[in-house]
Amino acid sequence: MKKINVITLGCSKNTVDSEHLMARLAAAGYEVVFDSDRTDAKTVVINTCGFIGDAKQESIDMILRAAAAKQAGKIERLFVIGCLSERYADDLRTEIPEVDAYFGARTWDGVVRALEASGEPELATERLLTTPKHYAYLKISEGCNWMCGYCAIPLIRGPHVSVPMETLEEEARKLAARGVRELIVIAQDTTYYGIDLYGRRMLAELLRRLCRIDGIEWIRLHYAYPAAFPDDVIEVMASEPKICKYLDIPFQHISDAQLASMHRRHTKAEAMELIRRLRGAIPDLALRTTLLVGYPGETEEDFAELMEFVREVRFERLGVFAYSEEEGTYSARELHDDVPDAVKQERVERIMALQNGISLENNSRRVGRTERVLIGSRQGDFYVGRTQYDSPEVDQEILIPADGRRLMRGRFYNVRIESAADYDLYGSVIGR
């Protein structure tokens, strides 16, 4: 049997792309491994990230290692796909000619033909999962129309294109039949879903339909753009018990001057009003956000306003990134990257130090509560799980002493929280 190794770099949206490709490869008779060092796989496919500097460098380093392996005769064919090759295919062909072919991120037709994979339409909703079998990402659209000043995604992935609702329902039913219990709904902007197909935003209706699928117990919503946030999404999150009380909503900044320069299409007042509406309708909501510091023109006053925003809102989950100039974006063309790297890094550290204390206080208030926990793994003397307030890979976990009892991976248990750290909880199973 032919063996092929698919290596995926970057975000969860890339993960879904690779899983769809691997299903087509498996249908064509390949033995598929993923993210593997196996030397008996003579064909290698690298799905790259081209979003920010560190991610691009990781992708380039991986391509160079694979190219060296090909030169040494360890692999026979090497293909590169995804965001980096969408953006820089001509440069990559010149600099790393050992790669057999480069394909972009917007269509899979070329790589499917090159690998002699199956192109059958009925495989459109099939995936070979690379996540643990109890959860999976569901990508509901591609591309983005917002054109934020710092972001290269529209240049790479193109404009927003929704996946038809019936296709998503079929894919979700297949995932549930294979044991998936948690769907993590993702896109560049999930709240924009449906506007191109149905003439209006249809995320709430999609969520209702997903809730009706037997076997799915948790539905988690990621990457919701703050501007024009749909009221019906708030309503469905508050009313549907399967939808996790969790929302990933990247605000990026709060200073009106920075928001305007970033082309974020909302104001500070609108952001604060949205947070008020969300927490008013869903009192136990865990809000996750990402922030961007060191954007061109960010003053100490802007940054102080951002710190106060974090202090006031007390996000349950927060990530912060230093601005990285990306060629072709508005900020790279029109603005001067005038915040020194040392200042950017200091601002990252100041926000995270503040958030560490907030996270510890938030976690400490949960001690004594009993929460439903999905078990993911065992590590040493502890089982590791998550509550509905935590997404895999990016958020905290709850650690449960094994104490001679066996907990099943992918099962739910009621767990009493006994103690808290800044980014971990400790608990014990209640009942059997």
Side-chain angles (χ1 to χ4, degrees):
M1 182 179 286
K2 301 171 288 186
K3 293 181 182 177
I4 188 166
N5 182 16
V6 179
I7 298 170
T8 304
L9 305 172
C11 66
S12 54
K13 293 174 281 292
N14 265 16
T15 296
V16 174
D17 290 343
S18 290
E19 290 176 349
H20 280 296
L21 176 62
M22 288 190 290
R24 293 187 176 279
L25 293 167
Y30 282 98
E31 178 186 340
V32 183
V33 296
F34 51 91
D35 300 333
S36 172
D37 293 327
R38 284 178 53 171
T39 57
D40 58 341
K42 297 302 183 183
T43 300
V44 174
V45 178
I46 304 175
N47 190 357
T48 58
C49 180
F51 184 43
I52 59 175
D54 289 347
K56 287 188 285 190
Q57 189 59 54
E58 180 186 24
S59 293
I60 291 168
D61 290 345
M62 180 62 72
I63 298 168
L64 289 172
R65 287 199 295 272
K70 185 182 179 190
Q71 286 184 314
K74 295 179 181 178
I75 61 177
E76 296 174 358
R77 296 195 300 168
L78 174 60
F79 298 91
V80 173
I81 62 176
C83 292
L84 190 77
S85 53
E86 180 74 46
R87 251 186 124 177
Y88 303 110
D90 291 341
D91 293 337
L92 289 167
R93 289 187 188 100
T94 301
E95 297 296 328
I96 316 177
E98 294 84 2
V99 174
D100 290 274
Y102 291 92
F103 300 96
R106 301 190 194 187
T107 176
W108 295 98
D109 294 346
V111 68
V112 166
R113 286 194 301 270
L115 292 169
E116 299 175 334
S118 176
E120 295 300 320
E122 58 266 26
L123 291 171
T125 56
E126 295 290 342
R127 287 161 59 182
L128 193 161
L129 285 184
T130 61
T131 56
K133 66 179 183 180
H134 56 275
Y135 75 83
Y137 297 100
L138 185 70
K139 188 167 77 167
I140 65 174
S141 65
E142 185 60 270
C144 184
N145 289 358
W146 287 109
M147 299 298 291
C148 296
Y150 51 83
C151 184
I153 291 298
L155 306 176
I156 299 170
R157 292 279 181 170
H160 175 93
V161 179
S162 300
V163 179
M165 203 171 298
E166 294 75 16
T167 302
L168 293 170
E169 288 181 276
E170 180 181 337
E171 186 172 328
R173 281 194 294 269
K174 289 180 178 179
L175 292 170
R178 294 170 56 186
V180 168
R181 296 293 169 258
E182 177 182 9
L183 286 179
I184 304 168
V185 177
I186 59 171
Q188 305 301 334
D189 172 16
T190 50
T191 65
Y192 211 71
Y193 174 76
I195 202 164
D196 54 322
L197 292 180
Y198 310 110
R200 62 188 180 92
R201 298 174 186 238
M202 291 286 283
L203 177 60
E205 175 61 21
L206 173 64
L207 292 174
R208 289 188 187 96
R209 293 192 187 191
L210 295 176
C211 286
R212 293 197 286 267
I213 295 175
D214 291 338
I216 299 299
E217 299 190 46
W218 276 358
I219 298 170
R220 187 180 303 279
L221 190 57
H222 272 239
Y223 316 130
Y225 194 85
F229 193 97
D231 287 337
D232 58 356
V233 172
I234 299 177
E235 293 167 7
V236 76
M237 289 184 69
S239 62
E240 288 284 359
K242 285 188 177 183
I243 299 179
C244 295
K245 303 302 184 280
Y246 176 101
L247 181 63
D248 185 319
I249 182 165
F251 284 102
Q252 305 300 0
H253 217 283
I254 202 60
S255 155
D256 280 331
Q258 285 280 282
L259 290 171
S261 183
M262 290 177 174
H263 294 176
R264 285 293 285 171
R265 316 303 170 94
H266 67 85
T267 64
K268 176 181 181 178
E270 290 166 339
M272 297 303 292
E273 171 61 15
L274 174 58
I275 293 169
R276 185 197 66 78
R277 285 163 47 214
L278 284 164
R279 287 196 162 152
I282 314 165
D284 58 339
L285 178 67
L287 278 178
R288 176 177 179 82
T289 198
T290 49
L291 303 175
L292 180 64
V293 298
Y295 188 77
E298 185 187 51
T299 65
E300 280 295 337
E301 290 76 18
D302 293 325
F303 179 70
E305 195 171 352
L306 186 62
M307 288 280 284
E308 182 57 31
F309 175 60
V310 174
R311 193 175 290 113
E312 178 181 352
V313 175
R314 306 183 69 78
F315 291 99
E316 285 73 17
R317 314 285 176 259
L318 184 147
V320 58
F321 300 92
Y323 169 72
S324 168
E325 185 174 87
E326 294 300 316
E327 59 209 87
T329 61
Y330 163 79
S331 60
R333 295 192 316 268
E334 304 294 337
L335 304 178
H336 174 55
D337 187 4
D338 57 353
V339 181
D341 288 344
V343 174
K344 293 176 185 177
Q345 187 57 39
E346 182 212 12
R347 290 175 179 175
V348 167
E349 292 169 0
R350 286 168 64 186
I351 285 186
M352 287 315 302
L354 172 61
Q355 180 61 26
N356 286 354
I358 292 170
S359 181
L360 178 57
E361 291 171 9
N362 286 340
N363 279 348
S364 296
R365 284 197 293 271
R366 295 168 66 185
V367 173
R369 288 173 46 172
T370 297
E371 298 186 8
R372 194 171 183 232
V373 171
L374 178 60
I375 298 298
S377 65
R378 178 169 177 171
Q379 298 178 13
D381 295 331
F382 292 91
Y383 287 100
V384 181
R386 292 179 291 110
T387 71
Q388 66 169 323
Y389 309 110
D390 302 292
S391 200
E393 305 296 332
V394 295
D395 292 329
Q396 65 183 20
E397 297 168 321
I398 184 163
L399 305 178
I400 304 162
D403 290 340
R405 76 184 299 170
R406 185 184 181 197
L407 304 183
M408 301 297 293
R409 188 180 189 183
R411 296 276 185 90
F412 290 90
Y413 295 87
N414 290 323
V415 175
R416 183 175 56 235
I417 298 173
E418 309 285 2
S419 62
D422 49 1
Y423 291 116
D424 279 313
L425 296 168
Y426 296 83
S428 57
V429 172
I430 302 300
R432 293 187 176 183

